[in-house]
Amino acid sequence: MCHSKVQHETTVKDVRLCEGCELPIEKVHVKSGKSAFCPRCGTRLYRGGKPSLSGNLAVAVTCLLLFVPSHFFDFISIRLFGMMISATLPEGVVALYQEGFVFLSGLILFCSSIAPFIVCSAVVCAHLAMKLRKFHVFRASLYLIQHLKHWVMIDVFLVSVAVSCFKLQDYSDIYVGKGLFGLILLQLFTVLLLTRVNVQTYWEAWQPESRLRLKSKSVHCTNCHLSQPEQDQCQRCDNPLHHRKPRSLQRTAAYLVAASVAIFPANLIPISVLLTKGQRLEDTIFSGVASLVNNGMTGIAIIIFVASIVVPVAKILGLAYLLLAIRYKRRAYHRHRMMIYFVVKWIGKWSMMDLFVISIMMTLVDRGQILDFTPGYGAVAFGTVVILTMLAADSLDPRYIWQNYKEPSDRKKFIHE
């Protein structure tokens, strides 16, 4: 079977192109709860069973309702010098904004609140648009779901709450608030929603592939996931069609160079400043990890070290390796490079943990008291690194990894998991 085109009309309806490597894959029946993966690059093609779209709507509405208790009820309180200080999620954002760290406050608000709210709202809007047959609203809703789901970081925020509690346990008594239970429930339902929602399923409900006359399949739409003949625009969603994302490698390289520059001030400039007992303690990421180890918090130190030092450096090195391998047209270890791409995409958001910890500490450690906490400008550089590395991973088209791959003759057509 040719990799770039399927010519036989009798079998074309049973074939789709892998969005990760453009390999033609024969469609097979997959049991509910299982998924079909590309045998060459490992990209997930589709899930088995017939997911209920009404179930997706119910989960999305539940998530929207949980935004009230999770964001506006106290999720944690501490007793500091005889005073009870409570924290809600927006208070940390407001505290950063009032201190002049507008960029950090906007980044934290987007990742912890705006992105998950937009994704949940987009699911609801997609259902309304499908019922009312509003094409542009439907397409915009699914576009938001597909491109913002990687920026939903409620799980990272919850881990950051635990890290903050360990940091504060030597200074104060800690009390769990109702908002924390709301955050946990919101996280559980958000994960459920993200695992259930499939953009391709919604486009199939809008216009099934069986209603389209497809004489061949030589290009795959990354927007609605319809494999179709060579043309300028997708037959179903009107999205421009390309075998590779335009200027993908150039954008990835630009983001990567900028991130490589920003990572030096992120590690050399203090990321936080703590005033305690008349002393001003400035901590870089490295010194903060060392301080945690000296205080007997080795487990927390390892988490911070991995999330704030290992992960950003690994993302930069991993993406640089992929760009160099593509540039010099390496002909071996394609599957290994694809695994690196998947890992880089997945671990990207966990670097936000340190910034979430800063926002929580800003809320709980009362201003003007004996114990005072404020972020340093290294946090701004670190937030820049997080954004740039995530944008670099999103802009890289994985199909470039496979453009010089020579297919074995005994290849299988599909795999299950």
Side-chain angles (χ1 to χ4, degrees):
M1 184 181 295
C2 178
H3 292 177
S4 61
K5 184 173 290 188
V6 179
Q7 297 289 352
H8 302 289
E9 189 173 355
T10 56
T11 61
V12 70
K13 65 178 181 179
D14 298 322
V15 174
R16 64 167 292 175
L17 302 181
C18 171
E19 62 180 295
C21 64
E22 276 197 335
L23 176 72
I25 307 290
E26 296 177 3
K27 293 182 181 179
V28 295
H29 175 73
V30 181
K31 295 180 180 180
S32 179
K34 301 291 184 178
S35 296
F37 291 82
C38 175
R40 186 163 75 177
C41 70
T43 299
R44 190 174 77 172
L45 302 173
Y46 47 85
R47 291 175 62 87
K50 295 181 179 179
S52 170
L53 296 185
S54 59
N56 295 345
L57 178 61
V59 175
V61 172
T62 303
C63 290
L64 292 175
L65 293 175
L66 286 171
F67 267 87
V68 176
S70 63
H71 282 66
F72 298 104
F73 291 178
D74 300 337
F75 65 85
I76 196 172
S77 301
I78 64 172
R79 185 182 298 277
L80 187 62
F81 307 120
M83 295 180 57
M84 286 297 296
I85 304 174
S86 302
T88 62
L89 197 153
E91 285 178 349
V93 174
V94 173
L96 285 170
Y97 180 83
Q98 291 175 342
E99 287 297 310
F101 293 91
V102 179
F103 169 73
L104 287 181
S105 63
L107 177 60
I108 291 171
L109 180 64
F110 178 78
C111 295
S112 62
S113 302
I114 295 178
F117 183 81
I118 291 178
V119 169
C120 297
S121 300
V123 173
V124 177
C125 290
H127 281 264
L128 292 175
M130 190 159 49
K131 183 176 181 180
L132 300 175
R133 304 304 293 179
K134 299 292 185 181
F135 174 74
H136 293 291
V137 176
F138 183 76
R139 183 175 63 177
S141 299
L142 296 184
Y143 179 88
L144 290 173
I145 294 171
Q146 184 163 272
H147 289 84
L148 289 184
K149 61 183 180 181
H150 300 298
W151 295 86
V152 176
M153 302 185 187
I154 302 175
D155 49 350
V156 182
F157 186 83
L158 284 173
V159 176
S160 303
V161 173
V163 173
S164 301
C165 290
F166 278 104
K167 282 190 170 186
L168 289 168
Q169 65 181 355
D170 291 336
Y171 301 102
S172 61
D173 298 324
I174 301 172
Y175 305 91
V176 174
K178 297 179 181 178
L180 184 60
F181 298 103
L183 279 171
I184 294 173
L185 289 174
L186 177 60
Q187 165 61 16
L188 293 176
F189 279 96
T190 302
V191 170
L192 179 61
L193 180 65
L194 294 179
T195 55
R196 287 177 58 94
V197 171
N198 188 318
V199 171
Q200 181 186 359
T201 304
Y202 278 85
W203 278 110
E204 279 294 307
W206 177 270
Q207 187 178 20
E209 180 181 340
S210 57
R211 296 182 183 178
L212 300 170
R213 293 185 177 180
L214 304 175
K215 296 183 178 180
S216 65
K217 293 184 178 180
S218 56
V219 62
H220 186 78
C221 177
T222 57
N223 188 56
C224 72
H225 303 283
L226 175 68
S227 299
Q228 55 200 284
E230 191 81 34
Q231 52 198 322
D232 294 333
Q233 287 186 317
C234 177
Q235 293 186 25
R236 184 161 62 183
C237 69
D238 295 337
N239 192 60
L241 293 176
H242 304 281
H243 286 282
R244 306 288 184 270
K245 292 181 182 178
R247 297 179 295 277
S248 168
L249 300 181
Q250 293 88 336
R251 288 201 305 269
T252 303
Y255 287 135
L256 199 59
V257 170
S260 301
V261 173
I263 200 170
F264 289 100
N267 285 277
L268 298 177
I269 299 176
I271 196 172
S272 63
V273 180
L274 181 65
L275 298 176
T276 175
K277 299 178 182 179
Q279 294 182 341
R280 178 184 176 90
L281 305 176
E282 295 184 348
D283 274 330
T284 62
I285 299 176
F286 284 100
S287 64
V289 171
S291 178
L292 289 172
V293 173
N294 293 333
N295 292 330
M297 303 180 188
T298 307
I300 301 300
I302 293 174
I303 293 175
I304 295 296
F305 178 78
V306 172
S308 302
I309 297 176
V310 175
V311 169
V313 173
K315 287 190 293 184
I316 291 174
L317 294 178
L319 289 171
Y321 166 71
L322 294 179
L323 288 177
L324 290 173
I326 293 170
R327 170 66 178 82
Y328 291 103
K329 300 179 180 179
R330 305 301 299 173
R331 295 183 177 274
Y333 302 110
H334 295 77
R335 185 63 182 265
H336 294 83
R337 289 199 287 275
M338 199 67 181
M339 291 176 62
I340 292 174
Y341 171 76
F342 289 143
V343 171
V344 168
K345 290 271 288 185
W346 181 79
I347 66 174
K349 65 179 183 179
W350 289 98
S351 298
M352 278 293 297
M353 186 185 303
D354 234 352
L355 300 181
F356 285 145
V357 170
I358 289 174
S359 70
I360 295 169
M361 296 285 285
M362 283 281 293
T363 308
L364 291 175
V365 181
D366 198 18
R367 315 297 295 174
Q369 298 294 325
I370 298 175
L371 187 64
D372 190 20
F373 182 88
T374 185
Y377 286 101
V380 178
F382 185 75
T384 303
V385 173
V386 174
I387 291 179
L388 290 173
T389 51
M390 290 190 66
L391 290 175
D394 287 339
S395 62
L396 179 62
D397 191 336
R399 291 174 292 186
Y400 278 106
I401 297 174
W402 299 91
Q403 61 185 0
N404 64 337
Y405 181 77
K406 185 177 180 180
E407 189 69 43
S409 58
D410 59 345
R411 171 185 53 82
K412 294 183 179 180
K413 299 300 183 184
F414 57 85
I415 59 174
H416 288 172
E417 181 173 291

